[in-house]
Amino acid sequence: PPLEVPWEDFMEGVGMHLRELTAEEQSIGARGLLVIQVNPKKSVGQILQAGDMVFAVNHQSVSTKGRYR
């Protein structure tokens, strides 16, 4: 089975920080995770910026932070 890595450790390695959506954001139909910080020195910094939404990681839908495989 794939190795499970704590979500924050995985995201730190990738170079970004995400947060779960608030109940208010979800109530207007928003889904996914919100990018709150991106390390511009990592490759993700060339693609994403703070305020972007992440809907999937490796083709798996995400809406909560947890463990990543």
Side-chain angles (χ1 to χ4, degrees), residues 1-66:
L3 178 65
E4 289 193 11
V5 177
W7 181 262
E8 292 300 325
D9 291 347
F10 174 76
M11 288 295 117
E12 182 68 32
V14 170
M16 67 178 166
H17 293 276
L18 306 171
R19 75 162 170 81
E20 295 176 4
L21 300 179
T22 65
E24 181 179 355
E25 291 165 333
Q26 292 176 21
S27 74
I28 60 171
R31 297 290 178 262
L33 297 169
L34 181 67
V35 177
I36 56 172
Q37 185 179 23
V38 177
N39 182 340
K41 295 180 182 177
K42 298 274 189 166
S43 60
V44 73
Q46 304 300 310
I47 301 166
L48 297 173
Q49 61 185 7
D52 286 345
M53 296 292 298
V54 174
F55 302 103
V57 175
N58 284 345
H59 307 287
Q60 295 180 341
S61 296
V62 293
S63 60
T64 61
K65 299 188 318 183

